[in-house]
Coordinates of all heavy atoms in Angstrom, one line a residue:
M1 N 0.9 -1.2 0.0 CA 0.0 0.0 0.0 C 0.9 1.2 0.0 O 1.8 1.3 0.8 CB -0.9 0.0 1.3 CG -1.7 1.2 1.3 SD -2.8 1.2 2.9 CE -4.3 0.5 2.2
P2 N 0.7 2.2 -0.8 CA 1.5 3.4 -0.9 C 1.3 4.3 0.4 O 0.2 4.3 1.0 CB 1.0 4.2 -2.2 CG -0.3 3.7 -2.4 CD -0.4 2.2 -1.9
P3 N 2.4 5.0 0.7 CA 2.2 5.8 1.9 C 1.3 6.9 1.7 O 1.2 7.4 0.6 CB 3.7 6.3 2.2 CG 4.4 6.1 1.0 CD 3.7 5.0 0.2
G4 N 0.6 7.3 2.7 CA -0.4 8.4 2.6 C -0.4 9.2 3.9 O 0.5 9.0 4.7
P5 N -1.3 10.1 4.0 CA -1.4 10.8 5.2 C -1.6 9.9 6.5 O -2.3 8.9 6.4 CB -2.7 11.7 5.1 CG -2.9 11.7 3.6 CD -2.4 10.4 3.1
D6 N -0.9 10.2 7.5 CA -0.9 9.4 8.7 C -2.1 9.9 9.5 O -2.2 11.0 10.0 CB 0.3 9.6 9.5 CG 0.4 8.6 10.7 OD1 -0.7 8.1 11.1 OD2 1.5 8.3 11.1
P7 N -3.1 9.0 9.7 CA -4.3 9.4 10.5 C -4.0 9.6 12.0 O -4.9 10.0 12.8 CB -5.3 8.3 10.3 CG -4.4 7.1 10.0 CD -3.2 7.6 9.3
A8 N -2.8 9.3 12.4 CA -2.5 9.3 13.8 C -2.4 10.7 14.4 O -2.6 10.9 15.6 CB -1.2 8.6 14.1
A9 N -2.1 11.7 13.5 CA -2.0 13.0 14.0 C -2.3 14.0 12.8 O -1.7 14.0 11.8 CB -0.6 13.3 14.5
T10 N -3.4 14.8 13.0 CA -3.7 15.8 12.0 C -2.8 17.0 12.2 O -2.3 17.3 13.2 CB -5.2 16.2 12.2 OG1 -5.3 16.9 13.4 CG2 -6.1 15.0 12.1
P11 N -2.7 17.9 11.1 CA -2.0 19.1 11.3 C -2.5 19.9 12.5 O -1.8 20.5 13.3 CB -2.3 19.8 10.0 CG -2.4 18.7 9.0 CD -3.2 17.7 9.8
R12 N -3.8 19.9 12.7 CA -4.4 20.6 13.9 C -3.9 20.1 15.2 O -3.6 20.9 16.1 CB -5.9 20.6 13.8 CG -6.6 21.2 14.9 CD -8.2 21.2 14.8 NE -8.8 21.7 16.1 CZ -8.7 23.0 16.5 NH1 -8.1 23.9 15.8 NH2 -9.3 23.3 17.6
E13 N -3.8 18.8 15.3 CA -3.4 18.2 16.5 C -1.9 18.5 16.8 O -1.5 18.8 17.9 CB -3.5 16.7 16.5 CG -4.9 16.2 16.6 CD -5.1 14.8 16.3 OE1 -4.5 14.2 15.5 OE2 -6.0 14.2 17.0
I14 N -1.0 18.6 15.8 CA 0.3 19.0 15.9 C 0.4 20.4 16.4 O 1.1 20.8 17.3 CB 1.1 18.7 14.7 CG1 1.2 17.2 14.4 CG2 2.5 19.3 14.8 CD1 1.7 16.8 13.0
L15 N -0.4 21.3 15.7 CA -0.4 22.7 16.0 C -0.9 23.0 17.4 O -0.4 23.8 18.2 CB -1.2 23.5 15.0 CG -0.6 23.6 13.6 CD1 -1.6 24.2 12.7 CD2 0.7 24.3 13.5
L16 N -1.9 22.2 17.8 CA -2.5 22.3 19.2 C -1.4 22.0 20.2 O -1.2 22.7 21.2 CB -3.7 21.5 19.4 CG -5.0 22.1 19.0 CD1 -6.1 21.0 19.1 CD2 -5.3 23.3 19.9
F17 N -0.7 20.9 19.9 CA 0.4 20.5 20.8 C 1.4 21.6 21.0 O 1.9 22.0 22.1 CB 1.1 19.2 20.4 CG 2.4 19.0 21.1 CD1 2.4 18.6 22.4 CD2 3.6 19.1 20.4 CE1 3.7 18.3 23.1 CE2 4.8 18.9 21.0 CZ 4.8 18.5 22.4
M18 N 1.8 22.2 19.9 CA 2.8 23.3 19.9 C 2.3 24.5 20.7 O 3.1 25.1 21.4 CB 3.2 23.7 18.4 CG 3.9 22.6 17.7 SD 4.2 22.9 15.9 CE 5.7 24.0 16.1
T19 N 1.1 24.9 20.6 CA 0.6 26.0 21.2 C 0.3 25.7 22.7 O 0.3 26.7 23.5 CB -0.7 26.6 20.6 OG1 -1.7 25.6 20.6 CG2 -0.5 27.0 19.2
Q20 N 0.0 24.5 23.1 CA -0.3 24.2 24.4 C 0.9 23.9 25.3 O 0.9 23.8 26.5 CB -1.3 23.1 24.5 CG -2.6 23.4 24.0 CD -3.6 22.2 23.8 OE1 -3.2 21.1 24.0 NE2 -4.8 22.5 23.5
S21 N 2.1 23.7 24.7 CA 3.3 23.5 25.4 C 4.0 24.8 25.8 O 3.8 25.8 25.1 CB 4.3 22.7 24.4 OG 5.5 22.6 25.1
P22 N 4.7 24.8 26.9 CA 5.3 26.0 27.4 C 6.6 26.3 26.5 O 7.1 27.4 26.6 CB 5.7 25.7 28.8 CG 5.8 24.2 28.9 CD 4.7 23.7 28.0
D23 N 7.0 25.3 25.7 CA 8.2 25.5 24.8 C 7.8 26.4 23.7 O 6.8 26.3 23.1 CB 8.7 24.2 24.3 CG 9.3 23.3 25.5 OD1 9.8 23.8 26.4 OD2 9.1 22.1 25.3
P24 N 8.7 27.3 23.3 CA 8.5 28.2 22.2 C 8.8 27.6 20.8 O 8.3 28.1 19.8 CB 9.4 29.4 22.4 CG 10.6 28.8 23.2 CD 10.0 27.7 24.0
A25 N 9.6 26.6 20.7 CA 10.0 25.9 19.5 C 10.2 24.5 19.7 O 10.5 24.0 20.9 CB 11.2 26.6 18.9
F26 N 10.2 23.7 18.6 CA 10.2 22.2 18.7 C 11.1 21.7 17.6 O 11.2 22.3 16.5 CB 8.9 21.7 18.5 CG 7.9 22.2 19.6 CD1 7.2 23.4 19.4 CD2 7.7 21.5 20.8 CE1 6.3 23.8 20.3 CE2 6.9 22.1 21.7 CZ 6.2 23.2 21.5
T27 N 11.7 20.5 17.9 CA 12.4 19.8 16.9 C 11.5 18.7 16.3 O 10.5 18.4 16.9 CB 13.7 19.2 17.4 OG1 13.3 18.2 18.5 CG2 14.6 20.2 18.0
A28 N 11.9 18.1 15.2 CA 11.1 17.0 14.6 C 11.1 15.8 15.7 O 10.1 15.1 15.8 CB 11.8 16.5 13.3
A29 N 12.2 15.6 16.4 CA 12.2 14.5 17.3 C 11.2 14.7 18.5 O 10.6 13.8 19.0 CB 13.7 14.4 17.9
E30 N 11.1 15.9 18.9 CA 10.1 16.3 20.0 C 8.7 16.0 19.5 O 7.8 15.5 20.2 CB 10.2 17.7 20.4 CG 11.6 17.9 21.2 CD 11.8 19.4 21.5 OE1 11.6 20.2 20.6 OE2 12.2 19.7 22.7
I31 N 8.4 16.4 18.3 CA 7.0 16.2 17.7 C 6.8 14.7 17.6 O 5.8 14.2 17.9 CB 6.9 16.9 16.3 CG1 7.0 18.4 16.6 CG2 5.5 16.5 15.7 CD1 6.0 19.1 17.4
A32 N 7.8 14.0 17.1 CA 7.7 12.5 16.9 C 7.5 11.9 18.2 O 6.6 11.0 18.3 CB 9.0 12.0 16.2
E33 N 8.2 12.2 19.2 CA 8.0 11.6 20.5 C 6.6 11.8 21.1 O 6.0 10.9 21.6 CB 9.0 12.2 21.5 CG 9.0 11.6 22.9 CD 10.1 12.2 23.8 OE1 11.1 12.5 23.4 OE2 9.7 12.3 25.0
E34 N 6.1 13.0 20.9 CA 4.7 13.3 21.4 C 3.7 12.4 20.8 O 2.7 12.0 21.4 CB 4.4 14.8 21.1 CG 3.0 15.2 21.5 CD 2.6 15.0 23.0 OE1 3.6 15.0 23.9 OE2 1.4 15.0 23.3
F35 N 3.9 12.1 19.5 CA 2.9 11.3 18.8 C 3.3 9.8 18.6 O 2.7 9.1 17.8 CB 2.5 12.0 17.5 CG 1.8 13.3 17.7 CD1 2.5 14.5 17.7 CD2 0.5 13.4 17.8 CE1 1.9 15.7 17.9 CE2 -0.2 14.5 18.1 CZ 0.5 15.7 18.1
D36 N 4.4 9.4 19.3 CA 4.9 8.0 19.3 C 5.1 7.6 17.9 O 4.8 6.5 17.4 CB 3.9 7.1 20.0 CG 4.5 5.8 20.3 OD1 5.7 5.7 20.5 OD2 3.8 4.8 20.3
K37 N 6.0 8.5 17.2 CA 6.4 8.2 15.7 C 7.9 8.3 15.6 O 8.6 8.7 16.6 CB 5.7 9.2 14.8 CG 4.2 9.1 14.8 CD 3.7 7.8 14.2 CE 2.2 7.7 14.2 NZ 1.7 6.5 13.7
T38 N 8.4 8.1 14.5 CA 9.8 8.3 14.2 C 10.2 9.8 14.0 O 9.3 10.6 13.6 CB 10.3 7.4 13.0 OG1 9.6 8.1 11.8 CG2 9.9 6.0 13.1
R39 N 11.5 10.1 14.1 CA 11.9 11.4 13.9 C 11.7 11.8 12.4 O 11.3 12.9 12.1 CB 13.4 11.5 14.2 CG 13.8 13.0 14.1 CD 15.4 13.2 14.0 NE 15.9 12.5 12.8 CZ 15.7 12.9 11.5 NH1 15.1 14.0 11.3 NH2 16.3 12.2 10.5
Q40 N 11.8 10.9 11.5 CA 11.5 11.1 10.1 C 10.1 11.5 9.9 O 9.8 12.4 9.1 CB 11.9 9.9 9.2 CG 13.4 9.6 9.2 CD 13.9 8.8 10.4 OE1 13.2 8.4 11.3 NE2 15.2 8.7 10.5
W41 N 9.2 10.9 10.6 CA 7.8 11.2 10.5 C 7.6 12.6 11.0 O 6.9 13.4 10.3 CB 6.9 10.2 11.4 CG 5.5 10.6 11.3 CD1 4.5 10.2 10.5 CD2 4.8 11.4 12.3 NE1 3.3 10.7 10.9 CE2 3.5 11.5 12.0 CE3 5.2 12.2 13.4 CZ2 2.5 12.3 12.7 CZ3 4.3 13.0 14.1 CH2 3.0 13.0 13.7
G42 N 8.2 13.0 12.1 CA 8.1 14.4 12.6 C 8.6 15.4 11.7 O 8.1 16.4 11.4
D43 N 9.7 15.0 11.0 CA 10.4 15.9 10.1 C 9.4 16.1 8.8 O 9.2 17.2 8.4 CB 11.7 15.3 9.6 CG 12.5 16.3 8.7 OD1 12.7 17.4 9.2 OD2 12.9 15.9 7.6
Q44 N 8.8 15.0 8.4 CA 7.9 15.2 7.2 C 6.7 16.0 7.6 O 6.3 16.9 6.8 CB 7.4 13.8 6.8 CG 8.5 13.0 6.1 CD 8.0 11.6 5.8 OE1 6.9 11.1 6.4 NE2 8.8 10.8 5.1
Q45 N 6.2 15.8 8.8 CA 5.0 16.6 9.2 C 5.3 18.1 9.3 O 4.5 19.0 8.8 CB 4.4 16.1 10.5 CG 4.1 14.7 10.6 CD 3.1 14.3 9.5 OE1 2.0 14.9 9.3 NE2 3.4 13.2 8.7
L46 N 6.5 18.4 9.9 CA 6.8 19.8 10.1 C 7.2 20.4 8.8 O 6.8 21.6 8.6 CB 7.9 19.9 11.1 CG 7.6 19.6 12.6 CD1 8.8 19.4 13.4 CD2 6.7 20.7 13.1
K47 N 7.8 19.8 7.9 CA 8.1 20.3 6.6 C 6.8 20.6 5.8 O 6.7 21.6 5.2 CB 9.0 19.3 5.8 CG 10.4 19.4 6.2 CD 11.3 18.5 5.4 CE 12.7 18.6 5.9 NZ 13.6 17.6 5.2
K48 N 5.8 19.7 5.9 CA 4.5 20.0 5.3 C 3.8 21.2 5.9 O 3.3 22.1 5.2 CB 3.6 18.7 5.4 CG 2.2 18.9 5.0 CD 2.1 19.0 3.4 CE 0.6 19.0 3.0 NZ 0.1 20.2 2.6
L49 N 3.9 21.3 7.2 CA 3.2 22.5 7.9 C 4.0 23.7 7.5 O 3.4 24.8 7.2 CB 3.3 22.3 9.4 CG 2.3 21.2 10.0 CD1 2.6 21.0 11.5 CD2 0.9 21.6 9.7
E50 N 5.3 23.7 7.3 CA 6.1 24.8 6.9 C 5.7 25.2 5.5 O 5.6 26.4 5.2 CB 7.5 24.5 7.1 CG 8.4 25.8 6.8 CD 9.8 25.6 7.2 OE1 10.4 24.5 7.0 OE2 10.4 26.6 7.6
S51 N 5.6 24.2 4.6 CA 5.3 24.5 3.2 C 3.9 25.2 3.1 O 3.6 25.9 2.2 CB 5.4 23.3 2.3 OG 4.3 22.4 2.5
D52 N 3.0 24.8 4.1 CA 1.6 25.4 4.1 C 1.6 26.8 4.8 O 0.6 27.4 5.0 CB 0.7 24.5 4.8 CG 0.4 23.2 4.0 OD1 0.7 23.2 2.8 OD2 -0.1 22.2 4.6
G53 N 2.8 27.2 5.3 CA 2.9 28.5 6.0 C 2.4 28.5 7.5 O 2.2 29.5 8.1
L54 N 2.1 27.3 8.0 CA 1.6 27.2 9.4 C 2.7 27.2 10.5 O 2.4 27.5 11.6 CB 0.7 25.9 9.5 CG -0.4 25.9 8.5 CD1 -1.2 24.6 8.6 CD2 -1.4 27.1 8.6
V55 N 3.9 26.9 10.1 CA 5.0 26.9 11.0 C 6.2 27.5 10.3 O 6.2 27.5 9.0 CB 5.4 25.6 11.6 CG1 4.3 24.9 12.4 CG2 6.0 24.6 10.6
Q56 N 7.2 28.1 11.0 CA 8.4 28.5 10.5 C 9.5 27.8 11.2 O 9.3 27.2 12.2 CB 8.6 30.0 10.8 CG 8.0 31.0 9.7 CD 8.4 32.4 10.0 OE1 8.2 32.9 11.1 NE2 9.0 33.0 9.0
S57 N 10.7 27.8 10.5 CA 11.9 27.1 11.1 C 13.1 27.9 11.0 O 13.3 28.8 10.2 CB 12.0 25.7 10.5 OG 12.5 25.8 9.2
K58 N 14.1 27.4 11.8 CA 15.4 28.0 11.8 C 16.4 26.9 12.2 O 16.2 26.1 13.1 CB 15.5 29.1 12.8 CG 16.9 29.8 12.9 CD 16.9 30.9 13.8 CE 18.2 31.6 13.8 NZ 18.3 32.8 14.7
N59 N 17.5 26.9 11.5 CA 18.6 26.0 11.8 C 19.7 26.8 12.4 O 20.4 27.5 11.7 CB 19.1 25.3 10.6 CG 20.2 24.3 10.8 OD1 21.0 24.5 11.8 ND2 20.3 23.2 10.0
P60 N 19.9 26.7 13.8 CA 20.9 27.5 14.4 C 22.3 27.0 14.3 O 23.2 27.6 14.8 CB 20.4 27.5 15.9 CG 19.8 26.1 16.0 CD 19.1 25.9 14.7
G61 N 22.5 25.9 13.5 CA 23.7 25.3 13.4 C 23.7 23.9 13.8 O 22.8 23.5 14.6
G62 N 24.5 23.1 13.3 CA 24.5 21.7 13.7 C 23.3 21.0 12.9 O 22.9 21.4 11.9
R63 N 22.8 19.9 13.5 CA 21.8 19.1 12.9 C 20.4 19.6 13.3 O 19.4 19.2 12.7 CB 22.0 17.7 13.2 CG 23.3 17.1 12.6 CD 23.5 15.7 12.9 NE 22.4 15.0 12.1 CZ 22.1 13.7 12.3 NH1 22.7 13.1 13.3 NH2 21.2 13.1 11.6
A64 N 20.3 20.3 14.3 CA 18.9 20.6 14.8 C 18.3 21.8 14.0 O 18.9 22.7 13.6 CB 19.0 21.1 16.3
R65 N 17.0 21.6 13.8 CA 16.1 22.6 13.2 C 15.0 22.8 14.1 O 14.4 21.9 14.6 CB 15.6 22.2 11.8 CG 14.7 23.2 11.2 CD 14.5 23.0 9.7 NE 15.6 23.2 8.9 CZ 16.0 24.5 8.5 NH1 15.3 25.5 8.8 NH2 17.0 24.6 7.7
F66 N 14.7 24.1 14.4 CA 13.7 24.4 15.3 C 12.5 25.0 14.6 O 12.6 25.8 13.7 CB 14.1 25.5 16.4 CG 15.2 24.8 17.3 CD1 16.5 25.0 17.0 CD2 14.8 24.0 18.4 CE1 17.5 24.5 17.8 CE2 15.8 23.5 19.2 CZ 17.2 23.7 19.0
Y67 N 11.2 24.6 15.0 CA 10.0 25.0 14.4 C 9.1 25.7 15.4 O 9.1 25.3 16.5 CB 9.2 23.8 13.8 CG 10.0 23.1 12.7 CD1 10.9 22.1 12.9 CD2 9.6 23.4 11.4 CE1 11.6 21.5 11.8 CE2 10.2 22.7 10.3 CZ 11.2 21.8 10.5 OH 11.8 21.2 9.5
W68 N 8.4 26.7 15.0 CA 7.4 27.4 15.8 C 6.2 27.8 15.0 O 6.3 27.8 13.7 CB 8.0 28.6 16.5 CG 8.5 29.6 15.5 CD1 7.8 30.7 15.0 CD2 9.8 29.7 14.9 NE1 8.6 31.4 14.1 CE2 9.8 30.8 14.1 CE3 11.0 28.9 15.0 CZ2 11.0 31.1 13.3 CZ3 12.1 29.2 14.3 CH2 12.1 30.3 13.4
I69 N 5.1 27.9 15.6 CA 3.8 28.1 14.9 C 3.8 29.6 14.5 O 4.3 30.5 15.2 CB 2.6 27.8 15.8 CG1 1.3 27.8 15.0 CG2 2.6 28.6 17.1 CD1 0.2 27.2 15.7
T70 N 3.2 29.9 13.3 CA 3.1 31.2 12.8 C 1.7 31.8 13.1 O 0.9 31.1 13.6 CB 3.3 31.2 11.2 OG1 2.2 30.4 10.7 CG2 4.6 30.6 10.8
S71 N 1.5 33.0 12.7 CA 0.2 33.6 12.8 C -0.8 32.9 12.0 O -1.9 32.8 12.3 CB 0.2 35.1 12.6 OG 0.7 35.4 11.3
A72 N -0.3 32.5 10.8 CA -1.2 31.7 9.9 C -1.6 30.4 10.6 O -2.7 29.9 10.4 CB -0.6 31.4 8.6
G73 N -0.7 29.8 11.3 CA -0.9 28.5 12.1 C -2.0 28.8 13.2 O -2.9 28.0 13.4
Q74 N -1.8 29.9 13.8 CA -2.8 30.3 14.9 C -4.2 30.5 14.2 O -5.2 30.0 14.9 CB -2.3 31.6 15.6 CG -1.0 31.5 16.4 CD -1.2 30.8 17.7 OE1 -2.3 30.4 18.1 NE2 -0.1 30.6 18.4
Q75 N -4.2 31.1 13.1 CA -5.5 31.3 12.5 C -6.1 30.0 12.0 O -7.3 29.8 12.1 CB -5.3 32.3 11.3 CG -6.6 32.7 10.6 CD -7.5 33.5 11.6 OE1 -7.1 34.4 12.2 NE2 -8.8 33.1 11.7
H76 N -5.3 29.1 11.6 CA -5.7 27.8 11.2 C -6.5 27.1 12.4 O -7.5 26.4 12.2 CB -4.6 26.9 10.7 CG -4.9 25.5 10.3 ND1 -5.6 25.2 9.2 CD2 -4.8 24.4 11.0 CE1 -5.8 23.9 9.2 NE2 -5.3 23.4 10.2
L77 N -5.9 27.2 13.5 CA -6.5 26.6 14.7 C -7.9 27.2 15.0 O -8.8 26.5 15.4 CB -5.6 26.8 15.9 CG -4.3 25.9 16.0 CD1 -3.5 26.2 17.2 CD2 -4.7 24.4 16.0
I78 N -7.9 28.6 14.8 CA -9.2 29.3 15.0 C -10.2 28.8 14.0 O -11.4 28.5 14.3 CB -9.0 30.8 15.0 CG1 -8.2 31.2 16.2 CG2 -10.4 31.5 14.9 CD1 -7.7 32.6 16.1
D79 N -9.8 28.7 12.7 CA -10.7 28.4 11.6 C -11.2 27.0 11.7 O -12.3 26.7 11.2 CB -10.0 28.6 10.3 CG -9.7 30.1 10.0 OD1 -10.3 30.9 10.7 OD2 -8.9 30.3 9.1
T80 N -10.4 26.1 12.3 CA -10.8 24.7 12.3 C -11.3 24.2 13.7 O -11.4 23.0 14.0 CB -9.6 23.7 11.9 OG1 -8.5 24.0 12.8 CG2 -9.2 24.1 10.5
R81 N -11.5 25.2 14.6 CA -11.9 24.9 16.0 C -13.1 24.0 16.1 O -13.1 23.2 16.9 CB -12.1 26.3 16.6 CG -12.7 26.2 18.0 CD -12.9 27.6 18.6 NE -13.3 28.6 17.7 CZ -12.9 29.9 17.7 NH1 -12.1 30.3 18.7 NH2 -13.3 30.7 16.8
N82 N -14.0 24.2 15.2 CA -15.3 23.4 15.4 C -15.5 22.3 14.3 O -16.5 21.7 14.2 CB -16.5 24.3 15.3 CG -16.6 25.2 16.5 OD1 -16.2 24.9 17.6 ND2 -16.9 26.5 16.2
G83 N -14.4 22.1 13.6 CA -14.5 21.1 12.5 C -13.5 20.1 12.4 O -12.9 19.3 12.8

């Protein structure tokens, strides 16, 4: 079966986790750990959210890349609140 969207975590659930945590930014490994997935899964999810403009990222050096929710991501949470 070809890979497709993972029903285990929607973009909204990932964004909600990011906003409800006291941390200001996250790595793919942290997202993966929260949803009991691989780091590669977390990386794919965050890259998709970034391409949609819902998160931004920065690589401060080394291998780590940090992601945080954007105002568009906040608006997405508002827009999808009841659906």
Side-chain angles (χ1 to χ4, degrees):
M1 176 182 264
D6 188 337
T10 66
R12 177 176 172 71
E13 289 170 322
I14 295 169
L15 293 172
L16 274 173
F17 166 71
M18 292 174 81
T19 60
Q20 292 172 350
S21 172
D23 294 330
F26 303 87
T27 64
E30 290 172 316
I31 297 298
E33 183 179 324
E34 174 64 22
F35 293 96
D36 196 28
K37 300 290 181 183
T38 65
R39 188 202 56 77
Q40 291 82 8
W41 177 89
D43 189 52
Q44 290 173 350
Q45 301 308 306
L46 289 167
K47 284 180 179 176
K48 171 73 169 107
L49 290 172
E50 187 170 32
S51 73
D52 291 343
L54 303 177
V55 301
Q56 274 188 303
S57 72
K58 179 177 182 176
N59 182 329
R63 296 184 67 199
R65 178 166 288 279
F66 294 97
Y67 293 85
W68 60 92
I69 191 166
T70 63
S71 57
Q74 294 283 358
Q75 187 61 49
H76 176 77
L77 287 174
I78 292 167
D79 293 346
T80 60
R81 172 177 37 216
N82 296 322

